[in-house]
Amino acid sequence: MTGAEIDFAGVFKALPGMVALLTPEMVFVDANEDYLSNSGRSREQLVGHYLFDVFPDRPGDPASTGMRNLEASLRRVVESGERDSMALQRYDVESLDRPGVWEERYWSPVNVPVLDENGAVVLVVHRVEEVTEFIRARGGLTRDNRTPLLEAELYTRARELQELNERLRRAHAHEREVAVALQDALLPSPEQVRTHHAAVRYRPATSSLNVCGDWYDLVALSGDRMAVAVGDVVGHGLSAACVMGQLRSALSAASRAADGPARALEVLGLYARSVEGAESATAVTAWIDWETRTITYSSAGHLPPALLRGDGRVEFLDGATDPPLGARPEHVDRPEAATGFASGDTLVLYTDGLVERRTEDIDVGLERLAAALTHHREAEPETLADALLSDLLPPGGVTDDTALVILPL
């Protein structure tokens, strides 16, 4: 049987356990038979309705936090594009037969995103396991013969776990803020180098787990020359930001002393071996000489720069690609290539967050970049930078940080 022959709607309805589909705005799209049966709601009472209109929080009960916790979990899934498993929750439900009467219920929820080809969250799978009867059946009774001991123990532990998770999330959010601030301080300001102005952009990832490994640099060389570079450090958070700063500074210094981009990357590669966390970092640097109208470049495992010609053609500078920094156990001279340019051409350097998508080949992303450059070829550098970010970054949020340099030639 092929996938096209499978009745996925029928499979969804027959799934064991309570499963519902929600929009990113938390509106019901569908629910399987177990969800309908255990919630006591019909499909008509769910589909098209806001989740918390159907299942509001119990009024007048300060201990009832189920709705707030569930809403926070769903928002994390929509914002991060990652699944979120919740601790045991007490989430009371109003009886349909007796309005105003609330039934004490316990649930174990898991929320999982459904992503489109651009990585945007289009649906959330909301799976719930009700454990109310299990808790009551297995728990003994306290002295007042009313509250099950196991129920109280599990609920207390679940609340403690929930509070711990919240503290960890706040700590991660704080680390992200510090890392982004450090990244901003370490990257050079987008001022012109002599008479040449480059448009630069840095966009941190939406998730705190993917931020602060990308960088760019612009260096004035002797004569009417400039070195432009971008790079990507494997890792995230403060550690990646610190490694990024070290590598950027080292390449900036090497470029001022080396006789070409390949030699500058060789020096950077040797330095990277002594920096913890710099393993497998990538970088590409291009040296532009306006007197000879030549771009000389070298790449350490990085995506190729794009050269937008005045007539709209796009050439990827992939003639001098080598492994990432520190990847070889022994020193080997890095390759170097050169190409000419004309007045009106534009050089574009970028990191993988601009073009890579988890569900497609990298060539598709490069073709998308080329098409966008051709489409916006008449735009000024600052406008072109904004247009590329708008056209190429996923609408649901950036899943990897992105650095972009646009230099008119």
Side-chain angles (χ1 to χ4, degrees):
M1 177 180 290
T2 64
E5 298 171 337
I6 298 175
D7 179 8
F8 286 102
V11 171
F12 173 75
K13 291 180 180 179
L15 284 174
M18 300 173 63
V19 183
L21 292 179
L22 305 171
T23 69
E25 295 73 32
M26 305 180 204
V27 174
F28 280 102
V29 175
D30 203 354
N32 72 344
E33 296 300 331
D34 275 3
Y35 194 99
L36 299 175
S37 175
N38 284 280
S39 69
R41 269 65 176 174
S42 66
R43 183 167 279 103
E44 291 72 22
Q45 290 173 311
L46 298 180
V47 175
H49 295 279
Y50 180 53
L51 169 63
F52 301 115
D53 285 343
V54 180
F55 300 110
D57 219 352
R58 184 171 185 168
D61 184 357
S64 182
T65 59
M67 189 187 89
R68 295 194 296 275
N69 294 339
L70 177 57
E71 183 179 17
S73 171
L74 291 170
R75 291 195 185 282
R76 283 194 296 270
V77 171
V78 172
E79 292 171 0
S80 69
E82 300 172 359
R83 67 181 291 159
D84 192 82
S85 298
M86 301 180 65
L88 177 69
Q89 300 290 316
R90 175 186 165 186
Y91 195 152
D92 298 348
V93 177
E94 185 176 14
S95 172
L96 289 179
D97 299 329
R98 297 176 294 167
V101 175
W102 292 77
E103 301 170 353
E104 191 172 294
R105 308 277 283 273
Y106 291 86
W107 316 84
S108 180
V110 178
N111 301 305
V112 182
V114 178
L115 308 177
D116 65 11
E117 60 183 8
N118 294 319
V121 177
V122 293
L123 289 171
V124 177
V125 178
H126 174 50
R127 184 181 183 279
V128 188
E129 192 73 31
E130 183 173 9
V131 294
T132 306
E133 293 304 320
F134 171 79
I135 290 176
R136 290 175 178 168
R138 294 302 182 103
L141 297 178
T142 61
R143 294 175 183 175
D144 60 8
N145 289 329
R146 286 184 297 178
T147 307
L149 288 174
L150 181 58
E151 174 183 330
E153 177 70 13
L154 285 177
Y155 186 57
T156 299
R157 295 293 176 264
R159 287 289 297 273
E160 291 174 352
L161 179 59
Q162 189 80 28
E163 292 171 0
L164 176 60
N165 285 339
E166 289 302 323
R167 289 198 297 271
L168 288 174
R169 290 188 182 101
R170 287 194 294 270
H172 281 303
H174 178 67
E175 179 184 343
R176 182 182 188 277
E177 292 176 0
V178 174
V180 171
L182 178 61
Q183 176 89 334
D184 186 59
L186 290 173
L187 291 175
S189 61
E191 298 177 352
Q192 66 181 33
V193 177
R194 295 199 178 97
T195 60
H196 306 290
H197 175 79
V200 298
R201 297 290 187 273
Y202 172 74
R203 291 292 182 272
T206 303
S207 169
S208 62
L209 298 181
N210 294 297
V211 64
C212 297
D214 291 11
W215 54 272
Y216 61 85
D217 196 27
L218 302 94
V219 178
L221 304 175
S222 61
D224 194 8
R225 298 187 303 151
M226 180 196 299
V228 183
V230 295
D232 187 357
V233 173
V234 177
H236 59 268
L238 285 172
S239 59
C242 292
V243 173
M244 176 280 298
Q246 291 175 277
L247 294 184
R248 189 198 69 78
S249 298
L251 181 58
S252 183
S255 297
R256 288 173 166 85
D259 58 5
R263 182 56 182 161
L265 282 184
E266 289 173 15
V267 173
L268 182 65
L270 292 173
Y271 174 71
R273 294 181 185 178
S274 65
V275 178
E276 184 176 356
E279 302 85 358
S280 299
T282 67
V284 61
T285 182
W287 290 23
I288 303 94
D289 188 331
W290 274 272
E291 293 180 357
T292 62
R293 296 283 178 180
T294 303
I295 300 172
T296 308
Y297 62 93
S298 184
S299 174
H302 201 83
L303 293 167
L307 181 58
L308 173 62
R309 298 293 187 178
D311 60 5
R313 292 180 296 113
V314 175
E315 299 174 15
F316 286 102
L317 307 185
D318 56 3
T321 300
D322 217 30
L325 301 173
R328 287 197 176 104
E330 297 185 7
H331 173 74
V332 175
D333 291 345
R334 289 192 178 272
E336 188 174 282
T339 187
F341 68 87
S343 178
D345 292 350
T346 302
L347 182 63
V348 180
L349 283 74
Y350 53 93
T351 56
D352 54 6
L354 187 69
V355 294
E356 282 191 352
R357 300 294 176 268
R358 66 184 73 183
T359 59
E360 63 187 25
D361 188 85
I362 186 60
D363 288 339
V364 177
L366 294 178
E367 290 172 3
R368 189 163 50 239
L369 170 61
L373 286 170
T374 299
H375 179 71
H376 298 289
R377 62 184 178 275
E378 301 294 336
E380 295 297 320
E382 297 291 342
T383 303
L384 177 58
D386 291 336
L388 291 181
L389 294 179
S390 176
D391 288 359
L392 301 181
L393 294 184
V398 184
T399 57
D400 192 7
D401 49 339
T402 300
L404 174 66
V405 179
I406 295 178
L407 179 66
L409 304 172

